[in-house]
Amino acid sequence: MGLYNLDKIFFPNSIAVIGASEKKGSIGNALISNLIDGGTYADLFPVNPHYPEIRGLKSYQSISEIKNPPDLAVIATPIQTVPDIISECVDRRVGAAIIISAGGKEIGEKGKKLEAQILQKAKEGGLRIIGPNCLGVLCPGKHLNASFAPDMPRSGNLAFVSQSGAICTAILDLAFKEHIGFSHFVSIGSMLDVDFGDLIDYLGNDPRAKSILLYIENLTNHRKFMSAARAVSRIKPIVVLKSGKSPAGAKAAASHTGAMAGEDAVYDAAFRRTGVVRVETIQELFDCAELMGKQPRPAGKRLAIITNGGGPGVMATDALSKYGQEPESLDNEILDALNQVLPPYWSRNNPIDVLGDASPERFQNVIEICINSNKFDGILVIMVPQALTKPKDVADKVVEIKDKYSFPVFANWIGGRDMAPGIETLNNAGLPTYGTPERAIRAFLYMYNYARDLELLQEISPKLPNEIKFDRETAKNHIIGKVGNTNKFLSEEESKEILAAYGIPVNEMRIAKTEDEAVSKAKEIGFSVVMKILSPDITHKTDANGVQLDLRDESHVRKAYQKIMEGANEYNPDARIFGVTIQKLIPWPDFELLIGAKKDPSFGPVILFGMGGIYTEILKDRALGIPPMNRLAARRLMEETRIYKMLKGYRNRPGANLEKLEEIIIRVSQLMTDFPEISELDMNPVIVKSGEPVAIDARILLKETSVQSPMHLVISPYPEQYEFHETTSGGLDIFIRPIKPEDASLFEELFQSLSPTSIYYRFFSSLKHMSKKMLARFTQIDYDREIALVAIDETTSEEKMLGITQVFVHPDGDRGEFAILVGDPWQGKGVGAKLLEHVLQIAKQRNIHDIYGTVLRGNTNMLRLGEKLGFTRQWDSGKEECTLIIDLKQIDFDDLRVNDWF
């Protein structure tokens, strides 16, 4: 079911209100009244067999009586009646439905069964559903109030989506007080059909929504959410309040929505990976809503603080410092300008203290100097009651500036009765106002964090110096056949063999089943050695006195063996003991790290990096990341930990080989990608000595799963199945593969090979160079929603990109737009034909039906190739552009031969 039908929810031309009522105080009455009083342009059809007329409109016995099928059905009847109503809507080809009714999965099994019936019937007709158990939908710009919220907020550019109806009503109440406007206001309810991923995709493609605000209790389709959020957060900010941080809160959230909760730290990692900004409290959500809804986003962190009181300025500075920031310093040019308008004894610093006797004009002059200096990204104006101040007049001046400049200005009018008229003036003019300096600063920094995170997301990932290879067969032999219906821990020996197969350095170990054998193995390895208990029933070896260090001779080994056996028996008399392991001692390591992974029930594999050793659980210095990982993602993961500063080298202590650590993280990520059966992987400690990391201890937990790789991931990994070796009609041997994030430099070289004409044919403009943002856009793709293949010259030692073709898949999954680019030296040699042939085959495999692309009239080679492939041409009247369209359902690639073209 595509996103097209969501237009029928937000912009319907006709609405049937099923359960509309004349009874005052009922939801049915509120719905029809709100639609009428809101001034909706849509035709309204009340449906209720108990009333011949409702609010002056003819009431229908059923939706079948309505002559033309309505775009939208709003349903407010008992939940047990809804399956039949939905079936009727499908029969009448109604476009979409909003189900207000409660009593679904939140009440238990009976409700789940009802919801299953509703969804099955909706899918049969492609009917999209918001709800059930929701407040409804409001679109102020279209005068649509399809909800039982009593009033319509202002029209604006902020989209708000909430799983909680109570949060919806609270935000609406705030919006009226603070004059916040919305483009879309959605109570999503139980998310039977339309979920957060759908709405992020839809709102991301709607220019009316400039920013997106979400209140989330749980997600239903995590992969869809991740894909949508990664795409949309690059073009507009998404701010999330996710409840259920504590175990008790998570349980309450699950009970409220009828869904299972996930670990909150994993949500943090997921939000960071997608570029979503997470706020911590409902107040911060309100504060971000106000800033996002009223002001342009700050481009950076340079903040000017203008105040008529020194104390609040210090409070604002402290708030910045708490989050690792400080006010932007004033250069000589700004100081000279401020000296002209401020008294001689002003602070000469930022915060800029304009003093207690500041007139409205003084405030105005200082604000305008800061804006015109181009040295700041935002201005916070703080006003406190002073004997000579005029809060209302100062507010008027700030409003004048707001109307004159498009610049982030927000206010903190501190006080009560005397400040109220000024606050009202600011709110009426659409200026964000905050009760404390701390709240203002935090809201500003959230918006700055979005800009910073966006820059990080678009950073180009460097390549590893050598190609990473994996021995999947060896690892597979240790896993397949050992997975049962219950959890199974592999032995340390088996775990290390799997890690070694994936190129992860491990410490050599020997197994000894007796005391004499332990002595023999120790002599083989060479003293000093470490001895550890070997038991599947003792996870934390040190708890059972199961680790003995620095064994320097035979007597030490014998004593250690006896001590370990005694400790194990005392710790767990029923534990299965298979002997001990003997390893070479690595004395005085520089660092002990923890590198591991776990399979989260919601987000799939999660990579963990942090401080290791016996204090891991006490210090809790760890960071989580969502695979797949590349060098950049691995480095960001390490940077989130406190130990990272030490790993770079500290004072006279050597640092770690960070590139090797990145590589280990990437290898663990690939191992978790290839084998969904791995439920947990733990390497603790990974010792770093003289910069080089090695895994000293390891364990892997296997668990049976029915999910095949890579569907257990929430981010689609590099699709190796789309690699091909081809020879073109021009005799070029090429390697066709999906594009990688590390291909930015290759793509830049390809661009340099293009003539101005080729550039214009592809980009429809005269580009001189590829910006960092464009390189990231072309190389950092979501393999779930884009197909991008590159042709690599196989005859050279260094990789050289000859061409690229892409299909940008629409969110509905049915259509895609293609583009192709071949470097000038390789045009006319069959490179483009091979690329396009493969990308269309992949699109057909993925059930994408229609592919289209825009081609300029002068690009005759592309027009000829399109004709040969079966594309039809659609010329735009009076334009130099042609749209090529192909229906892949009608194409048989076995009969298609295009090698002699392009």
Side-chain angles (χ1 to χ4, degrees):
M1 296 191 288
L3 292 182
Y4 166 73
N5 281 353
L6 296 191
D7 278 337
K8 301 296 180 73
I9 293 174
F10 297 109
F11 306 107
N13 290 311
S14 54
I15 305 172
V17 183
I18 304 167
S21 175
E22 281 280 10
K23 183 180 179 182
K24 299 295 182 182
S26 68
I27 291 178
N29 179 261
L31 283 168
I32 195 71
S33 298
N34 290 343
L35 284 164
I36 294 171
D37 297 341
T40 181
Y41 60 86
D43 296 328
L44 295 179
F45 302 100
V47 177
N48 193 325
H50 301 293
Y51 297 95
E53 184 178 285
I54 298 175
R55 286 293 303 267
L57 298 172
K58 176 187 175 182
S59 179
Y60 293 82
Q61 294 288 306
S62 71
I63 201 168
S64 300
E65 289 188 2
I66 303 171
K67 182 177 180 182
N68 296 314
D71 289 337
L72 175 65
V74 183
I75 303 171
T77 63
I79 191 73
Q80 60 268 24
T81 67
V82 174
D84 289 339
I85 293 171
I86 290 296
S87 182
E88 192 176 8
C89 287
V90 168
D91 292 341
R92 291 286 290 138
R93 297 188 179 277
V94 174
I98 299 172
I99 303 177
I100 306 294
S101 319
K105 61 185 176 184
E106 68 272 11
I107 69 167
E109 286 302 318
K110 183 179 179 181
K112 287 181 182 179
K113 290 179 181 178
L114 281 169
E115 287 195 1
Q117 294 173 29
I118 294 168
L119 185 60
Q120 180 182 354
K121 294 179 183 297
K123 282 185 174 180
E124 290 172 0
L127 181 79
R128 300 310 307 263
I129 293 174
I130 294 279
N133 190 20
C134 70
L135 185 76
V137 170
L138 298 93
C139 286
K142 292 294 183 179
H143 306 286
L144 175 70
N145 185 357
S147 78
F148 58 91
D151 299 301
M152 180 82 77
R154 284 186 175 191
S155 177
N157 57 25
L158 177 65
F160 179 74
V161 183
S162 172
Q163 209 165 346
S164 164
I167 298 296
C168 282
T169 56
I171 285 281
L172 279 175
D173 196 49
L174 171 81
F176 293 122
K177 177 189 174 186
E178 302 291 347
H179 302 277
I180 300 172
F182 297 96
S183 60
H184 308 73
F185 194 96
V186 185
S187 169
I188 200 170
S190 298
M191 298 188 295
L192 176 61
D193 172 31
V194 175
D195 60 13
F196 283 108
D198 291 319
L199 288 173
I200 290 171
D201 260 327
Y202 181 83
L203 296 169
N205 286 282
D206 191 331
R208 285 168 285 242
K210 304 297 184 187
S211 306
I212 302 171
L213 206 64
L214 308 175
Y215 171 78
I216 296 176
E217 290 175 352
N218 72 289
L219 297 173
T220 51
N221 189 323
H222 297 73
R223 185 162 176 153
K224 187 202 297 183
F225 172 86
M226 295 288 286
S227 179
R230 288 178 69 209
V232 173
S233 66
R234 292 173 180 262
I235 56 176
K236 56 186 71 174
I238 303 173
V239 177
V240 169
L241 173 61
K242 166 67 176 70
S243 62
K245 290 176 70 71
S246 66
K251 183 178 179 181
S255 299
H256 181 55
T257 60
M260 296 299 293
E263 184 182 346
D264 190 70
V266 181
Y267 272 95
D268 270 337
F271 292 148
R272 280 194 301 273
R273 184 68 189 267
T274 59
V276 167
V277 177
R278 183 177 189 177
V279 298
E280 300 298 325
T281 66
I282 188 69
Q283 184 180 75
E284 290 177 356
L285 185 72
F286 288 173
D287 290 345
C288 277
E290 186 163 6
L291 190 61
M292 292 167 61
K294 293 181 177 181
Q295 290 284 276
R297 295 194 302 273
K301 63 182 179 179
R302 302 174 303 172
L303 182 66
I305 302 168
I306 300 170
T307 176
N308 69 334
V314 173
M315 293 165 63
T317 302
D318 287 345
L320 279 171
S321 178
K322 178 181 178 181
Y323 299 108
Q325 306 297 333
E326 59 184 29
E328 185 70 10
S329 60
L330 306 179
D331 61 23
N332 290 333
E333 185 180 344
I334 298 175
L335 287 170
D336 290 343
L338 292 174
N339 284 334
Q340 302 299 314
V341 299
L342 290 173
Y345 41 90
W346 75 279
S347 63
R348 286 179 172 76
N349 219 330
N350 186 15
I352 303 169
D353 189 348
V354 297
L355 305 176
D357 62 348
S359 65
E361 290 72 23
R362 188 185 297 173
F363 267 100
Q364 181 181 23
N365 290 335
V366 172
I367 295 171
E368 291 194 325
I369 287 171
C370 290
I371 292 175
N372 292 323
S373 72
N374 295 320
K375 300 294 175 59
F376 299 102
D377 301 305
I379 295 175
L380 169 60
V381 183
I382 302 177
M383 182 77 175
V384 296
Q386 302 270 19
L388 300 178
T389 57
K390 298 177 180 179
K392 172 68 168 62
D393 294 346
V394 173
D396 288 334
K397 290 297 183 183
V398 175
V399 170
E400 286 181 25
I401 292 169
K402 178 253 183 187
D403 294 336
K404 184 178 178 181
Y405 301 94
S406 178
F407 191 84
V409 177
F410 49 111
N412 169 215
W413 258 228
I414 302 176
R417 179 193 61 192
D418 293 342
M419 308 303 281
I423 294 173
E424 184 177 3
T425 296
L426 295 169
N427 283 333
N428 288 337
L431 271 158
T433 59
Y434 299 97
T436 67
E438 293 85 354
R439 285 174 56 193
I441 292 293
R442 192 71 189 110
F444 173 81
L445 288 180
Y446 272 129
M447 291 298 93
Y448 158 67
N449 288 343
Y450 166 73
R452 180 203 61 192
D453 291 347
L454 183 61
E455 186 175 337
L456 292 177
L457 281 174
Q458 294 173 345
E459 191 170 332
I460 304 301
S461 180
K463 287 186 175 182
L464 285 165
N466 300 304
E467 182 183 358
I468 296 182
K469 297 182 179 180
F470 314 98
D471 184 357
R472 290 186 173 88
E473 283 304 311
T474 296
K476 183 178 179 181
N477 291 336
H478 282 284
I479 292 176
I480 303 302
K482 296 187 178 182
V483 181
N485 295 325
T486 59
N487 296 355
K488 175 180 176 59
F489 275 108
L490 297 181
S491 69
E492 182 179 354
E493 181 183 30
E494 291 172 315
S495 298
K496 284 187 172 180
E497 286 179 5
I498 290 174
L499 296 176
Y502 269 67
I504 297 168
V506 296
N507 197 20
E508 181 186 4
M509 59 168 284
R510 308 284 173 84
I511 295 176
K513 298 180 180 179
T514 67
E515 183 178 317
D516 288 340
E517 195 174 350
V519 172
S520 174
K521 299 296 183 183
K523 289 179 179 179
E524 287 178 12
I525 291 177
F527 297 106
S528 292
V529 297
V530 176
M531 185 185 296
K532 300 178 185 178
I533 185 71
L534 182 59
S535 169
D537 302 318
I538 299 177
T539 302
H540 300 292
K541 300 177 179 68
T542 53
D543 292 351
N545 206 21
V547 179
Q548 299 295 313
L549 305 173
D550 197 14
L551 310 179
R552 303 182 181 184
D553 54 33
E554 179 178 337
S555 63
H556 285 174
V557 171
R558 293 189 181 278
K559 289 178 182 177
Y561 186 91
Q562 296 165 12
K563 195 172 183 180
I564 283 177
M565 293 303 158
E566 291 170 3
N569 185 61
E570 184 177 337
Y571 179 77
N572 183 357
D574 298 324
R576 293 166 293 168
I577 309 298
F578 298 149
V580 296
T581 64
I582 308 294
Q583 303 178 38
K584 185 71 176 177
L585 175 69
I586 301 179
W588 305 107
D590 299 319
F591 306 101
E592 290 190 14
L593 302 175
L594 166 64
I595 301 177
K598 60 164 284 187
K599 191 158 74 171
D600 182 81
S602 299
F603 286 95
V606 180
I607 308 300
L608 185 147
F609 176 88
M611 189 180 295
I614 62 175
Y615 301 115
T616 296
E617 295 179 10
I618 295 175
L619 297 175
K620 294 183 179 179
D621 180 22
R622 65 172 190 174
L624 302 180
I626 306 293
M629 307 289 279
N630 56 26
R631 281 192 66 185
L632 185 60
R635 180 62 64 95
R636 294 279 177 255
L637 180 66
M638 293 192 291
E639 287 174 349
E640 291 174 22
T641 61
R642 297 190 299 275
I643 198 173
Y644 175 72
K645 292 182 178 179
M646 298 176 65
L647 293 175
K648 293 192 298 181
Y650 181 71
R651 293 186 177 176
N652 64 339
R653 293 195 61 178
N657 186 331
L658 296 177
E659 193 174 282
K660 281 285 184 67
L661 289 174
E662 291 168 2
E663 185 177 324
I664 290 175
I665 292 170
I666 293 170
R667 291 180 181 278
V668 170
S669 170
Q670 188 63 48
L671 179 59
M672 296 298 292
T673 297
D674 290 342
F675 296 102
E677 298 89 350
I678 299 179
S679 181
E680 291 182 21
L681 185 158
D682 188 76
M683 294 185 289
N684 185 22
V686 173
I687 279 180
V688 178
K689 177 74 172 180
S690 301
E692 298 303 305
V694 59
I696 300 302
D697 203 353
R699 65 172 187 166
I700 291 176
L701 174 63
L702 303 181
K703 190 173 183 180
E704 186 180 36
T705 178
S706 60
V707 181
Q708 299 296 310
S709 176
M711 298 312 297
H712 64 306
L713 302 178
V714 290
I715 298 177
S716 181
Y718 175 81
E720 290 183 347
Q721 68 271 26
Y722 298 147
E723 294 181 345
F724 312 96
H725 296 274
E726 294 279 8
T727 300
T728 72
S729 59
L732 296 176
D733 293 328
I734 59 174
F735 176 41
I736 294 176
R737 62 164 173 80
I739 200 164
K740 301 176 182 179
E742 297 85 1
D743 286 336
S745 61
L746 297 180
F747 190 85
E748 198 166 19
E749 291 174 7
L750 172 63
F751 183 83
Q752 297 302 320
S753 74
L754 299 173
S755 65
T757 300
S758 295
I759 292 173
Y760 192 79
Y761 281 166
R762 171 59 184 89
F763 299 101
F764 291 30
S765 63
S766 301
L767 292 177
K768 299 298 183 185
H769 70 281
M770 295 293 290
S771 67
K772 179 179 174 181
K773 183 176 181 180
M774 289 186 70
L775 285 171
R777 175 66 189 87
F778 278 97
T779 59
Q780 298 177 17
I781 73 167
D782 183 340
Y783 297 115
D784 273 344
R785 60 177 57 215
E786 292 182 40
I787 308 168
L789 300 180
V790 297
I792 303 297
D793 187 350
E794 287 203 293
T795 63
T796 58
S797 56
E798 295 289 330
E799 281 193 315
K800 180 180 287 295
M801 188 182 295
L802 311 184
I804 177 174
T805 185
Q806 299 153 288
V807 171
F808 305 95
V809 184
H810 285 242
D812 58 19
D814 295 332
R815 298 170 296 148
E817 180 179 7
F818 84 91
I820 189 167
L821 177 67
V822 176
D824 280 60
W826 307 286
Q827 291 178 10
K829 297 182 179 180
V831 175
K834 284 295 184 184
L835 283 170
L836 197 54
E837 184 178 350
H838 280 293
V839 84
L840 292 178
Q841 287 177 336
I842 294 169
K844 185 168 184 177
Q845 291 170 12
R846 290 171 55 170
N847 294 318
I848 301 170
H849 301 148
D850 299 314
I851 299 292
Y852 68 93
T854 303
V855 181
L856 293 175
R857 185 184 297 272
N859 195 352
T860 55
N861 279 345
M862 187 64 243
L863 292 173
R864 290 168 59 215
L865 176 61
E867 182 180 5
K868 184 71 175 179
L869 282 167
F871 282 86
T872 58
R873 301 181 185 180
Q874 291 185 0
W875 290 99
D876 292 333
S877 178
K879 294 185 178 180
E880 290 297 308
E881 299 172 2
C882 170
T883 301
L884 295 181
I885 303 174
I886 190 170
D887 182 356
L888 293 181
K889 298 190 299 294
Q890 308 301 319
I891 299 298
D892 184 351
F893 283 95
D894 291 335
D895 298 331
L896 193 62
R897 294 292 181 267
V898 294
N899 279 348
D900 55 336
W901 290 89
F902 206 53

